[in-house]
Amino acid sequence: MKAIIIGAGFSGAACARRLAEQGCDVLLLERSAHIGGNAYDEKKNGAFVHRYGPHIFHTNNEQVVKFLSRFTEWFPYEHRVLADLHGVFVPVPFNLDSLHKTFPEDKAAKLEAVLLREYGEGKKVPILELRKNPDADVRAFADFVFENIFRFYTEKQWGRKIEQLDPSIMQRVPVYVSREDRYFTDTFQLQPKDGFTALFERMLDHPNIRIVTGTDALTRLRVGEDGVFFDGAPCTDEVIFTGQADELLGYRFGKLPYRSLRFEFKTVPAPFQPAAVVNYTVSEAYTRISEFDKFTVERPAGDTSEIVYEYPQEYEAGKGMIAYYPVVNEENLALYEKYRAFLARFPHFHLLGRLGNYRYINMDAAVADALALADRLTADRED
Ligand code: FAD
Ligand code: UDP
């Protein structure tokens, strides 16, 4: 069996490795000059700098950890984020400590008691659910959190009114009815000891995998009503595509919306800020500042820190931008479905990954989906 995989991010790379280990010959095509996709990192002044924004590995999926642990050692890392509310730093997800930092003590104590009574200690409540609580005080509190943590940040991140977005986007960051101050509560919270790029190098180091970077697959792959063609000839290999379905098909049903980002990297005197990531939820044009030295590597504090500002922007096709986020809402999912349905007629063509499936997924889900697809293909194989 042969496979052509487009994209060397977590989806394409994990799929390539699994297929290669099942004896499949894999050709992996990557548009950019390097492997790793969005998770690519490089060392600068002792810190792993993530070129495409901060990447923290967290999962409840033990199989994914087991698979990736073959290619890296880890160090434990629990991510913490603060929101800067005009100079007052509060934990995000908004928790009971955030409540005490933003409300007068008597009011905060009263609200804490109501929240504990309504939801119970330890509950994680989606902000939109909290806003529907029958208690007027809880609703007023929820409105405060909505306005100070979610609205401005979400509208700048997505470039749309909050009402035009799928509620699942904000559900990624619930309100914690507890003192829990970790951004994630997954069982496994780890960072690769030698960085993500080294993990990818080892994952893709297999005699059955041939990697070609710096090649846009669309210069070699064509998909139309008449079939799937590679280098001009009808393609009988399995094709796994982790890029944008609309781009692949020449936007025949219209452009799928994506959000892009502009990153501004700086080296600054250390320490720079009070947490690894500070979110700007009520001010500034950037969404967040990440201080890589605080989370990508175990090392003594140096004199300088590597930081990055993230400025969201709309993705525009053909302008050399990178599509980072699918903009998930009903209308866009319906458009994506047209692309998916068109491609479903080719049994050897498979969409995969954050872009291929137009889904807002984390690294662990990308790996899990990739392994599942590889296992399905090798179980069904005829040769
Ligand atoms: P990608 O990493 O995007 O890889 C797709 C690859 O395909 C790219 O390398 C691209 O160049 C290539 N490609 C596309 N089209 C073509 C073509 N025509 N020809 C050749 N190559 C092509 N997840 C977490 O778990 N934790 C985090 O903390 C986290 N933080 C994130 C922060 C940011 C700013 C962003 C944008 C994402 C974050 N994610 C995080 C999500 C994570 O990046 C994705 O889950 C992961 O990258 C998905 O892997 P993928 O392989 O599907 O996509
Ligand atoms: N969000 C927000 N304020 C915050 C953090 C997150 O409004 O302080 C919303 C925002 O819409 C964001 C979404 O929750 O896009 C998901 O946040 P997450 O941190 O998962 O985003 P990512 O790291 O994937 O960019």
Side-chain angles (χ1 to χ4, degrees):
M1 181 174 137
K2 285 186 175 176
I4 300 168
I5 299 183
I6 289 95
F10 264 110
S11 302
C15 192
R17 178 71 189 209
R18 188 71 138 220
L19 287 175
E21 287 180 347
Q22 301 294 327
C24 178
D25 274 334
V26 179
L27 173 63
L28 180 60
L29 299 177
E30 168 55 52
R31 175 147 61 194
S32 82
H34 58 74
I35 57 175
N38 283 343
Y40 176 79
D41 58 14
E42 52 208 341
K43 220 164 190 181
K44 188 167 180 206
N45 296 326
F48 286 109
V49 174
H50 297 184
R51 193 188 282 179
Y52 307 104
H55 277 71
I56 316 298
F57 182 74
H58 58 99
T59 189
N60 290 317
N61 188 328
E62 199 171 352
Q63 291 312 312
V64 168
V65 177
K66 222 170 139 190
F67 173 76
L68 294 177
S69 299
R70 295 172 50 207
F71 315 115
T72 189
E73 288 179 39
W74 307 93
F75 66 88
Y77 169 74
E78 293 183 325
H79 192 50
R80 288 179 173 78
V81 175
L82 295 173
D84 182 335
L85 304 179
H86 302 299
V88 178
F89 292 98
V90 306
V92 176
F94 202 93
N95 66 12
L96 295 177
D97 283 331
S98 313
L99 169 67
H100 284 272
K101 287 200 160 87
T102 45
F103 284 83
E105 190 40 46
D106 54 335
K107 198 163 177 196
K110 226 174 106 192
L111 273 168
E112 175 174 341
V114 182
L115 289 169
L116 288 169
R117 188 194 69 217
E118 287 282 307
Y119 296 102
E121 158 84 30
K123 189 85 200 289
K124 298 176 196 167
V125 192
I127 183 63
L128 299 180
E129 187 184 319
L130 198 65
R131 294 187 88 201
K132 290 188 197 135
N133 191 288
D135 185 302
D137 288 341
V138 174
R139 278 203 313 279
F141 162 68
D143 287 347
F144 173 86
V145 176
F146 185 73
E147 293 304 329
N148 286 279
I149 300 293
F150 287 96
R151 186 192 288 282
F152 182 74
Y153 186 103
T154 296
E155 294 186 349
K156 103 178 127 175
Q157 168 75 355
W158 298 98
R160 286 154 178 80
K161 288 280 164 208
I162 213 162
E163 293 76 16
Q164 293 171 283
L165 295 162
D166 194 277
S168 66
I169 293 173
M170 278 178 289
Q171 271 173 25
R172 288 168 62 93
V173 186
V175 172
Y176 289 169
V177 184
S178 64
R179 250 101 194 154
E180 173 66 79
D181 67 344
R182 294 172 306 166
Y183 201 65
F184 308 112
T185 53
D186 304 58
T187 314
F188 304 99
Q189 304 193 32
L190 306 158
Q191 287 297 81
K193 222 164 191 163
D194 307 317
F196 284 102
T197 304
L199 184 165
F200 275 88
E201 278 163 3
R202 292 183 204 122
M203 181 159 47
L204 291 172
D205 181 13
H206 190 284
N208 292 349
I209 302 175
R210 189 156 66 89
I211 308 167
V212 182
T213 51
T215 293
D216 188 330
L218 302 186
T219 60
R220 301 182 64 181
L221 177 74
R222 185 178 72 73
V223 183
E225 255 114 11
D226 49 344
V228 178
F229 298 84
F230 191 68
D231 287 342
C235 183
T236 52
D237 300 345
E238 300 293 335
V239 178
I240 293 129
F241 185 81
T242 74
Q244 296 155 241
D246 59 340
E247 185 183 46
L248 170 74
L249 292 175
Y251 311 101
R252 63 168 57 213
F253 304 117
K255 285 185 178 156
L256 277 167
Y258 302 92
R259 283 299 270 176
S260 189
L261 295 167
R262 181 172 67 77
F263 295 105
E264 208 173 286
F265 294 90
K266 283 187 184 164
T267 305
V268 293
F272 176 74
Q273 61 185 19
V277 169
V278 173
N279 286 358
Y280 287 81
T281 59
V282 289
S283 65
E284 314 305 338
Y286 44 84
T287 46
R288 56 187 177 187
I289 304 178
S290 303
E291 188 173 357
F292 291 112
D293 298 66
K294 286 203 162 70
F295 68 83
T296 54
V297 71
E298 280 176 322
R299 67 181 197 115
D303 294 340
T304 57
S305 265
E306 303 307 315
I307 64 165
V308 66
Y309 295 73
E310 283 172 60
Y311 291 88
Q313 55 188 4
E314 197 65 8
Y315 170 78
E316 290 176 66
K319 299 222 167 129
M321 291 173 136
I322 295 178
Y324 288 106
Y325 297 90
V327 182
V328 176
N329 64 23
E330 225 172 277
E331 187 187 345
N332 300 345
L333 289 177
L335 177 55
Y336 171 75
E337 180 53 26
K338 291 187 187 172
Y339 285 102
R340 197 202 58 75
F342 181 91
L343 291 163
R345 75 185 71 185
F346 306 115
H348 297 293
F349 190 92
H350 314 278
L351 290 167
L352 184 68
R354 182 144 152 141
L355 298 172
N357 284 322
Y358 204 71
R359 279 173 59 215
Y360 189 0
I361 54 168
N362 290 327
M363 296 184 280
D364 62 331
V367 172
D369 288 356
L371 298 181
L373 175 62
D375 289 346
R376 189 155 56 74
L377 294 181
T378 45
D380 292 350
R381 69 200 279 181
E382 283 148 18
D383 63 283

